[in-house]
Amino acid sequence: MDNNSINVHPLTNNPTAAWKEIFKNQKVLKLNVKTPCKPAEPNKVRFVCMSDTHSLIRNITFDVPDGDVYIHAGDFTKCGQKEEVIQFNKWLMSLPHKHKIVICGNHELSFDKKFSDCFKKTVSSRHTGSLEDEVPNYGNTKDNINDAVNTENVRQYLTNCIYLEDSAIEIYGIKIYGTPWQPEFGGWAFNLQRGEECLSKWNLIPNETDILITHTPPLGYGDLVCSGVRAGCAELLSTVQQRVKPKYHVFGHIHEGYGVFSDGKIIYINASTCDINYIPKNIPIVFDVPLPEGQ
Ligand code: 5GP
Ligand code: MN
Ligand code: MN
Ligand code: MN
């Protein structure tokens, strides 16, 4: 199947209603996975996944299990301030994993240049009124957001990991792809309109992807918001199930969707460390992948 054959779902703008339709042909299994107590077998690669730590890593009360590859699926900061990135980068250095992979989420405002430029323009074109009144503050202060969007070349502070943004890396012959985009919600970084806009980014994911990392969940798996609505992306689900068919899909974003799910073929991991109240209490999710032949 080529990249352009995924269709936009007619109910894409109402994911809850779309899921009611799609659900009829889905098998959703909730998996009860335990953290392994032994190291990975020699012919396997151990992945350790977290997400949505929101600069609260100093508050975690669990140990991060050792493994070969550490994955963070975005929202490592509150608003992408330089100091937050430096702090996270320092913490990454303290982790024992040989490979560390990080993507952004909607909170990493400074990593989305288009967002930052646009935000600065909006603010400077305003003559009166306070910033808090007119632009969403994302639970941050005006100064923090201004500081974030004025950070130049923020990626330079993320030195202790492989940073993926619509890009891939191969580790031990395992193909991993990462992308930060999510369906629009509240005017954050890496927001895109549901439907064609989101799909245009999912179309960049190579068919040959073993582990997919996105910030947003796909529709129907780990995307149930506490209000009862679904927030995942319909086109991401179609792309994952019909075209890319990775072994694992790792994401976060919908904190209350934390857990491991399966459709019978693909394993979906919502690795959100923070819960809905931004308390970083969900433990990392660990899985082992057999080494491909010849590795
Ligand atoms: P964050 O601000 O960290 O990206 O998301 C925090 C929480 O906001 C999520 O756990 C979820 O409750 C809510 N949220 C984020 N994105 C969406 C969305 O697209 N739709 C809905 N209904 N809620 C969302
Ligand atoms: Mn989050
Ligand atoms: Mn594939
Ligand atoms: Mn998020």
Side-chain angles (χ1 to χ4, degrees):
M1 186 179 249
D2 71 54
N3 301 17
N4 301 318
S5 46
I6 301 297
N7 294 322
V8 169
H9 195 280
L11 295 171
T12 190
N13 287 314
N14 184 346
T16 310
W19 179 244
K20 266 196 185 138
E21 289 297 313
I22 295 169
F23 175 74
K24 294 171 190 163
N25 305 310
Q26 297 280 325
K27 180 161 75 180
V28 184
L29 308 163
K30 174 102 211 274
L31 306 184
N32 200 349
V33 297
K34 292 219 168 69
T35 308
C37 43
K38 288 186 194 151
E41 289 164 37
N43 58 345
K44 289 188 174 165
V45 180
R46 176 157 292 172
F47 288 80
V48 178
C49 308
M50 288 170 65
S51 187
D52 297 80
T53 46
H54 290 290
S55 292
L56 293 165
I57 252 159
R58 72 172 87 86
N59 299 352
I60 60 174
T61 53
F62 50 78
D63 292 325
V64 179
D66 195 2
D68 303 292
V69 186
Y70 174 82
I71 292 177
H72 193 295
D75 279 2
F76 47 92
T77 67
K78 292 188 167 86
C79 67
Q81 272 182 282
K82 178 177 148 182
E83 286 310 318
E84 293 185 280
V85 179
I86 290 171
Q87 186 197 46
F88 178 67
N89 190 58
K90 215 164 149 186
W91 180 76
L92 283 173
M93 189 163 66
S94 76
L95 292 177
H97 313 78
K98 192 174 281 166
H99 306 275
K100 299 155 192 175
I101 300 175
V102 174
I103 68 161
C104 277
N106 50 309
H107 279 254
E108 278 71 65
L109 306 179
S110 52
F111 285 76
D112 184 346
K113 187 150 180 358
K114 203 170 140 214
F115 174 92
S116 295
D117 289 349
C118 189
F119 192 96
K120 283 186 276 188
K121 236 181 249 158
T122 315
V123 172
S124 66
S125 69
R126 198 179 295 119
H127 301 292
T128 54
S130 76
L131 185 64
E132 289 95 333
D133 297 340
E134 293 172 58
V135 228
N137 71 6
Y138 320 107
N140 294 288
T141 68
K142 175 173 99 174
D143 285 347
N144 289 354
I145 292 177
N146 269 325
D147 187 40
V149 297
N150 284 303
T151 308
E152 294 293 329
N153 185 19
V154 68
R155 276 167 69 163
Q156 72 184 296
Y157 305 111
L158 213 44
T159 54
N160 295 323
C161 62
I162 299 156
Y163 174 72
L164 295 183
E165 187 180 315
D166 302 311
S167 54
I169 182 92
E170 194 173 316
I171 297 176
Y172 310 112
I174 299 166
K175 295 181 167 69
I176 305 165
Y177 185 90
T179 175
W181 304 95
Q182 354 84 39
E184 206 161 38
F185 185 75
W188 294 74
F190 301 107
N191 268 201
L192 292 175
Q193 281 172 29
R194 290 184 182 273
E196 287 296 348
E197 272 199 9
C198 282
L199 180 58
S200 72
K201 297 299 180 187
W202 315 144
N203 281 342
L204 302 174
I205 307 167
N207 287 345
E208 311 71 29
T209 299
D210 301 307
I211 299 176
L212 174 63
I213 313 166
T214 59
H215 183 57
T216 179
L219 183 58
Y221 296 84
D223 73 327
L224 189 58
V225 179
C226 52
S227 65
V229 305
R230 294 265 167 199
C233 177
E235 289 70 38
L236 181 56
L237 181 67
S238 303
T239 299
V240 165
Q241 290 186 328
Q242 296 167 30
R243 182 175 69 77
V244 178
K245 301 172 184 163
K247 295 182 182 73
Y248 293 88
H249 181 186
V250 181
F251 49 86
H253 187 45
I254 303 302
H255 300 180
E256 54 275 52
Y258 169 81
V260 184
F261 307 84
S262 170
D263 60 9
K265 288 183 182 140
I266 298 160
I267 308 278
Y268 301 87
I269 297 175
N270 182 328
S272 290
T273 301
C274 277
D275 69 1
I276 184 67
N277 299 313
Y278 289 85
I279 297 166
K281 67 176 191 196
N282 295 323
I283 60 171
I285 293 172
V286 179
F287 62 89
D288 296 342
V289 176
L291 274 170
E293 303 250 337
Q295 292 285 324

